[in-house]
Amino acid sequence: MRTQVGIVGAGPAGLLLSHLLALAGIDSVVLETRSRAYVEQRVRAGVLEHPTVELLREVGLAERLDREGMPHEGVSLRFEGEDHRIDFADLVGRGITVYGQQEVVKDLIAARLRDGGDLRFEVADVTLDGLADTPVIAYTDADGQRHELRCDVVAGCDGFHGISRGAYAPEMFEREYPYAWLGILAKAAPTHHELVYANHDRGFALYSMRSPEITRLYLQVPPDTDVHDWSDARIWDELGTRLAAEGFTLNEGPVLEKGVTGMRSVVAEPMRHGRLFLAGDAAHIVPPTGAKGMNLAIADVRVLADALTAFLARGDERGVDAYSDTCLRRVWRAEHFSWWMTSMLHVAPDGDAFTRRLQLSQLRYTVSSRAAATSLAENYTGLPYGGVR
C-alpha cells in the first residue's frame, strides 16, 4: 500500500492533520491502535484557545462547536476567599471556548469519513522503518493481517507513550511536579459561568464545566494518591472547602468519572528525524494548569500541514526544514506559561512559608496590575499563529 503521509495516531493532532492535508489535495492514511469508540469517548482537555476555534471554523469543522460550545470571556482567580475576574474580552479582545476534546475528535472523525478519509482503527504491532528517506509503516490490522504502508513522510501523532518518539533519540527536557490532580466528571449543572482557579491553604482546586449539565472539577493531591481513598463525599467536601467564596454555590451530583493525573513538563528536541515529524503529545507535554495541551497539538499540525503541502506538492523544503524550530518557539512559550500558572496556584507539599508568601504576592499583583492581567489573558486565550518569536 502507498500514501503520501502516514499518520500514526487518531487524536486531535493526527485527525486534523489528515483533514488539512486533504483540503490541500494530499493523501494520508491514519492508523490508530484503539477502537473508534474508545477515542471518541476518551475525556481529555476542554478549553479551546481563540486561534484554535478560528482555525476549526476556517476549515469547516465548527458547526457543532458553534452550536454546543460554551464561549468564555474570562476566568476567575480565587484566593484568600475572594474572586478576582480576569476579563479577557476587555484586556485582549478575545476569549476561549469550552468544548471537550472528545467532541473535537468526534467532529474530525465524522468529517474524515464523510470525505472519504482512510482511518484504520484497532491496528497492532506498529513499526517504523526507512525514516531517513523511504518510510515504511508496518502494522497488523483488526483481522490479524500484516500490512506495509509506504509513505513519503510519517507524522507521529501517537502521544507520549506511542512508538514515534522512540523511533529516534531526541534530546529530552523534563520536569516532574510534586503534585497531581484528582479529577471528577459530575452530572451537576454548573453554578458559575466561567472557570475558577482557586489557591487555598489546603491546595489548588479548579472549577470547570463540559456542558450545561456536566461539571469538571479538580483537586491538588500528592502524586502517589490512590483514587480509592477518596470517596465521593470526601471529594465534594474538599471541593466545597477550597472553592468557598461569598455568593458561590457548588452543585453536587453523581460522579461519572474519577481519576488521578500526574503533572509534568516534557519537550523533545528536535521534533523531526529524517522524514518523521512529531506533533502534539508525542513531542511535548505540559501541566494542565495552562490549558495548552490540545491547543499546542493543533498549532503543530497547522504548521506541519503547510510545510508538507509545500514539500509534497512543489518540492519546497523550507517549511519542513523550519518545522521543528517554528513549533518549538510556541511550545516553550506554552511550557513557561503552564509552569508559571502551576507554580503560582499549587501549594508546596512541604509547607514552605516563603514560597507561600511569594504565591500570594504574585496573585495579588496579577489581579491588580492591568499589565500582568493582560499577559495572563494573552497567553491563556492563545497567541496568534505566527506571533511567537
Side-chain angles (χ1 to χ4, degrees):
M1 295 180 291
R2 183 139 189 18
T3 191
Q4 290 175 286
V5 183
I7 300 173
V8 185
L15 292 166
L16 180 60
L17 177 61
S18 179
H19 182 82
L20 295 174
L21 291 172
L23 292 177
I26 304 296
D27 294 331
S28 67
V29 173
V30 180
L31 303 175
E32 171 58 50
T33 59
R34 305 283 192 169
S35 68
R36 176 182 176 181
Y38 179 89
V39 299
E40 288 187 335
Q41 294 167 14
R42 180 173 46 188
V43 176
R44 290 291 187 270
V47 171
L48 303 186
E49 294 177 348
H50 178 77
T52 297
V53 173
E54 290 298 294
L55 176 61
L56 294 176
R57 287 173 177 157
E58 178 186 331
V59 298
L61 293 169
E63 180 182 352
R64 199 162 66 92
L65 163 63
D66 284 334
R67 186 173 67 249
E68 300 177 14
M70 304 171 71
H72 291 191
E73 294 188 339
V75 296
S76 289
L77 298 182
R78 185 172 294 175
F79 59 97
E80 298 179 311
E82 294 185 7
D83 252 359
H84 305 268
R85 185 169 184 265
I86 306 297
D87 189 333
F88 296 156
D90 173 58
L91 293 165
V92 295
R94 57 182 185 268
I96 55 97
T97 299
V98 173
Y99 188 68
Q101 176 174 313
Q102 73 276 16
E103 305 306 325
V104 175
V105 167
K106 290 175 188 174
D107 295 342
L108 282 162
I109 289 175
R112 295 305 301 125
L113 294 178
R114 178 198 66 209
D115 297 337
D118 194 338
L119 310 182
R120 306 180 187 186
F121 295 98
E122 298 181 80
V123 305
D125 304 318
V126 181
T127 62
L128 304 177
D129 198 12
L131 296 175
D133 48 16
T134 55
V136 177
I137 308 174
Y139 68 95
T140 301
D141 67 21
D143 296 322
Q145 299 296 310
R146 193 70 178 163
H147 302 275
E148 285 189 350
L149 178 65
R150 300 183 180 275
C151 325
D152 294 311
V153 299
V154 175
C157 306
D158 49 344
F160 184 75
H161 298 290
I163 65 162
S164 299
R165 185 168 50 84
Y168 69 111
E171 185 174 5
M172 302 300 295
F173 299 87
E174 302 183 53
R175 168 163 294 185
E176 292 284 339
Y177 294 87
Y179 23 72
W181 279 10
L182 170 60
I184 66 167
L185 199 66
K187 189 174 182 181
T191 58
H192 196 275
H193 65 289
E194 293 174 338
L195 278 67
V196 177
Y197 287 80
N199 176 293
H200 189 274
D201 289 341
R202 294 177 61 89
F204 167 77
L206 173 60
Y207 180 92
S208 65
M209 62 290 294
R210 287 293 178 271
S211 76
E213 297 82 31
I214 302 294
T215 49
R216 184 72 162 159
L217 305 112
Y218 298 94
L219 291 168
Q220 175 190 341
V221 294
D224 60 355
T225 294
D226 185 340
V227 71
H228 298 102
D229 293 336
W230 284 80
S231 66
D232 294 359
R234 182 185 178 192
I235 291 171
W236 287 117
D237 184 62
E238 191 66 21
L239 284 166
T241 297
R242 297 190 195 182
L243 290 167
E246 185 177 354
F248 177 79
T249 58
L250 180 64
N251 272 352
E252 298 183 12
V255 175
L256 308 175
E257 275 189 20
K258 185 190 304 184
V260 175
T261 303
M263 301 179 68
R264 64 189 185 276
S265 294
V266 181
V267 180
E269 292 191 9
M271 292 169 57
R272 177 192 182 184
H273 173 69
R275 293 202 171 190
L276 168 66
F277 299 83
L278 301 186
D281 286 359
H284 40 72
I285 299 289
V286 291
T289 326
K292 292 289 165 251
M294 176 171 56
N295 294 291
L296 271 184
I298 287 174
D300 287 347
V301 298
R302 180 186 180 276
V303 174
L304 185 56
D306 288 346
L308 292 181
T309 299
F311 175 55
L312 297 172
R314 301 187 296 277
D316 184 346
E317 298 186 21
R318 289 175 295 176
V320 293
D321 288 343
Y323 170 71
S324 182
D325 288 342
T326 300
C327 290
L328 284 169
R329 285 195 292 271
R330 176 178 285 274
V331 168
W332 280 111
R333 173 87 297 275
E335 290 284 0
H336 181 273
F337 177 69
S338 300
W339 164 83
W340 176 75
M341 287 282 285
T342 300
S343 60
M344 178 173 67
L345 289 163
H346 290 74
V347 174
D350 58 6
D352 178 20
F354 184 82
T355 300
R356 182 76 181 123
R357 298 302 190 278
L358 290 178
Q359 286 180 326
L360 292 172
S361 175
Q362 181 63 59
L363 283 163
R364 293 173 189 138
Y365 175 65
T366 300
V367 301
S368 62
S369 163
R370 186 174 180 88
T374 298
S375 178
L376 188 156
E378 188 175 59
N379 282 273
Y380 196 96
T381 60
L383 297 167
Y385 292 134
V388 180
R389 295 287 183 263

